[in-house]
Amino acid sequence: MDILNKMKKTPGGLLIIPMLIVAIINTFFPQILQVGNPTTALFTNKGTMVLIGLMLFFSGTQCRIFEIKVMIKRVGPLCLTKVVIAYGIGVLVSKYFRAEGFLGISIVTIIAVLTSCNPGLYLALINSYGDEVDASAFGLLNLIVVPAVPITILSATGGQGIDINTIIATLFPFLLGILLGNLDENFKKLYSNGTSMLLPFMGISFGANINIIVALEAGVSGIIVTILFYLFGLLPLYIIERVLMKRSGNISIAMSSIAGLSLVVPTLAAELNPTYEKFIQVSIAQIAFGVILTTIVTPLLIKNISKSL
């Protein structure tokens, strides 16, 4: 049975297929995954941050110092634009609609989605539609995907401070990987397939955050959230990459999917500000809907747009 190659034929399949399978299990038979460690730690969302740390480290070992300038040149403007847009919309929503947001979509959901990026899916897609420098940008993308970014924006719009420790903690594995990979070429060889090996487990971790029934209950608001994500989270980035950067646009598309990790933002936001507590359940449902939909749509977008170029 040639299962692996069949998975690889699906854009982002190494991440998407395990994610959807575990999402189904988590929806209908969640007790299966709660039998105890190490099974629970490996096949649920318990190890999400460990996996992200490892992927940051592995991608860092593959990053040559002389490529960093090119990497930042390619992805830096897109990441910065994404954060600036999210912050700007956060300020506007906070000013005119307050925490409740609009159309049943709270500011927590809006910021969590607009700042979201699924680096695992990005890596899976860019392996097919990009080059090694594009792939090395995985580490940079992880700097904006961590919950610290939306929480920081929510804090800024709410008048609270920035957690520098979280930023340092995110940078450290990536920088350590860069250091070791550049000091000794053997580390680069040792971890050359590390990110590919972790993709299915990243998919499992994200899938364990998703309850399909709860996601579908988001209904129309979940669709609106997804449309807003593509309208403000993809279109400006695609225009910048194509028109200003004179590139294919594959990077902006590949980085435009909502990550399962964003599902933790509503809970963290409520811990920061009790005002957000009443939005938690609805927000999680809306984000989960967006995770499922963008995980399906984004690979199709990059596949069809790449063919048309």
Side-chain angles (χ1 to χ4, degrees), residues 181 184-191:
D184 187 347
E185 188 72 17
N186 290 316
F187 281 110
K188 183 177 186 294
K189 294 177 182 177
L190 177 64
Y191 298 118

Side-chain angles (χ1 to χ4, degrees), residues 162-240:
I162 298 174
D163 187 358
I164 299 298
N165 287 339
T166 301
I167 297 174
I168 295 174
T170 303
L171 280 171
F172 182 75
F174 183 56
L175 295 177
L176 178 61
I178 291 176
L179 177 64
L180 292 177
N182 283 273
L183 286 176
D184 187 347
E185 188 72 17
N186 290 316
F187 281 110
K188 183 177 186 294
K189 294 177 182 177
L190 177 64
Y191 298 118
S192 60
N193 295 319
T195 51
S196 297
M197 290 172 61
L198 289 178
L199 280 175
F201 294 101
M202 186 69 81
I204 289 169
S205 179
F206 289 160
N209 275 317
I210 298 172
N211 183 306
I212 295 174
I213 294 175
V214 173
L216 293 177
E217 286 176 353
V220 176
S221 64
I223 295 175
I224 295 174
V225 165
T226 306
I227 292 173
L228 288 174
F229 173 76
Y230 282 122
L231 185 61
F232 295 105
L234 169 57
L235 188 57
L237 273 63
Y238 184 75
I239 292 173
I240 288 173

